[in-house]
Amino acid sequence: LGLQMGRHCRMTDLGLPGLRGMTSSSLGEAFDSLTRFEPLTGRCYRGTSTYASQLPAVIFYSIAPYNDYNRFVVDSLLGSWQSLAIALTGQQDVVAEVHIEFEAPNYVKLYEEHFRAPVTFGRPESRLVLTPDAARLPVLKANPLVHQQLLAMAQARMKQLSVTDTFRG
């Protein structure tokens, strides 16, 4: 179910970070923006996702121990990242490999069908590794001016969140 859900994710589902990703100049910049401003779409005390430009890969923080629900979360997030990469660039083959932290479930074949790339389980972390050139692919709806305006909005909103957290602490 998580992989199916990931197929239906749209950038606009991610609010301000999604809009900023849509206006990015490259796929790498879009993933950097999505992960940097992830707290604006949802927060978890366990961590935040990161974009590792040197790989390039989008990395999900651990939500172990794994049960059906946590596997669903990882499946839907990794599937969403792939769907977003395809939608942003118009390119199908942007994923080089997929690493998944939990042990292989009984539906392993669905992962390879979904990602069309090698998938390995029992890894130290869950990540979507992009092909070497994918991070440099242009975003189809890039808009530098709007991208900068959205940056100012996202930074202001992040500042508001940190002030709110200070009052709660």
Side-chain angles (χ1 to χ4, degrees):
L1 183 60
L3 294 174
Q4 288 296 321
M5 187 170 168
R7 279 193 176 102
H8 300 288
C9 183
R10 299 167 304 174
M11 292 301 288
T12 54
D13 294 336
L14 302 175
L16 183 55
L19 294 173
R20 189 153 194 280
M22 267 178 33
T23 60
S24 297
S25 63
S26 69
L27 182 59
E29 183 180 49
F31 275 128
D32 181 64
S33 186
L34 287 173
T35 56
R36 187 163 25 129
F37 296 109
E38 184 179 69
L40 298 179
T41 59
R43 300 188 322 174
C44 179
Y45 70 92
R46 293 187 186 198
T48 57
S49 302
T50 56
Y51 173 67
S53 60
Q54 71 279 9
L55 296 177
V58 193
I59 304 167
F60 186 53
Y61 53 91
S62 178
I63 56 172
Y66 284 97
N67 54 33
D68 288 342
Y69 176 74
N70 287 356
R71 284 188 292 275
F72 163 81
V73 169
V74 171
D75 290 354
S76 62
L77 187 67
L78 294 175
S80 294
W81 285 342
Q82 179 194 32
S83 295
L84 296 174
I86 292 168
L88 287 170
T89 64
Q91 302 293 314
Q92 292 293 317
D93 297 322
V94 292
V95 177
E97 56 189 85
V98 180
H99 301 179
I100 298 180
E101 183 180 18
F102 55 81
E103 295 302 319
N106 60 1
Y107 51 94
V108 169
K109 185 173 172 67
L110 295 176
Y111 287 92
E112 292 171 1
E113 291 171 4
H114 179 85
F115 292 108
R116 296 181 309 272
V119 179
T120 56
F121 295 87
R123 300 297 297 255
E125 61 193 4
S126 295
R127 64 170 60 177
L128 189 77
V129 181
L130 302 174
T131 61
D133 296 329
R136 292 187 296 274
L137 287 172
V139 170
L140 297 174
K141 298 187 187 285
N143 186 322
L145 178 60
V146 173
H147 189 69
Q148 281 306 112
Q149 292 169 336
L150 291 170
L151 174 61
M153 292 171 66
Q155 288 173 328
R157 184 70 184 107
M158 289 288 285
K159 188 174 182 178
Q160 287 176 332
L161 284 179
S162 67
V163 169
T164 303
D165 286 347
T166 302
F167 287 126
R168 278 192 226 163

